[in-house]
Amino acid sequence: MSGVELDAWQIPILVTAAVVLVEVVVNLVLRHRGGRPPSQRVRTVGFGVLVVLTVVVFVAALGPSRADQLSSVAAAVAAVVALWLTYRSYNTATKQAEQEKPAAPGPDDPGES
């Protein structure tokens, strides 16, 4: 490493500074383009860059051993969230299938003859 270490309290400051810089750049670009908002792809790439920057700075501040422990906890949380989302998706699909299923004709209904 280069010998530069970050403390945990510095992470929010660096992320806030990055967000402010990105906002300034976006405002300059919008002013230059005539006020049209950027495309969805540009916004997605910008958000992705901010996420990567946040993760890199966060892992660098934690150090390798704590980052490894945190990734284990994050993987467990992600597994629980994935299980919950799968359960919700299954319930939604089941409810939709029940709503689309035609009702059986009762004794009062003549049905189609």
Side-chain angles (χ1 to χ4, degrees):
M1 287 201 146
S2 63
V4 177
E5 293 185 23
L6 294 174
D7 291 330
W9 64 270
Q10 294 171 326
I11 294 171
I13 295 171
L14 292 173
V15 171
T16 303
V19 169
V20 168
L21 288 174
V22 168
E23 183 181 1
V24 167
V25 169
V26 168
N27 284 334
L28 288 174
V29 168
L30 287 177
R31 195 174 302 153
H32 179 70
R33 290 179 59 192
R36 293 181 307 194
S39 71
Q40 187 172 1
R41 180 174 287 174
V42 171
R43 289 182 294 194
T44 303
V45 167
F47 181 68
V49 167
L50 286 177
V51 167
V52 168
L53 175 68
T54 304
V55 169
V56 167
V57 169
F58 186 70
V59 169
L62 287 177
S65 64
R66 285 215 177 135
D68 184 39
Q69 293 170 352
L70 183 64
S71 68
S72 298
V73 171
V77 170
V80 170
V81 169
L83 178 66
W84 179 70
L85 290 174
T86 303
Y87 174 73
R88 293 268 321 244
S89 176
Y90 173 76
N91 279 345
T92 302
T94 304
K95 286 179 184 177
Q96 286 177 350
E98 288 176 1
Q99 289 175 354
E100 292 174 359
K101 191 182 343 177
D108 295 337
D109 292 335
E112 293 183 33
S113 306

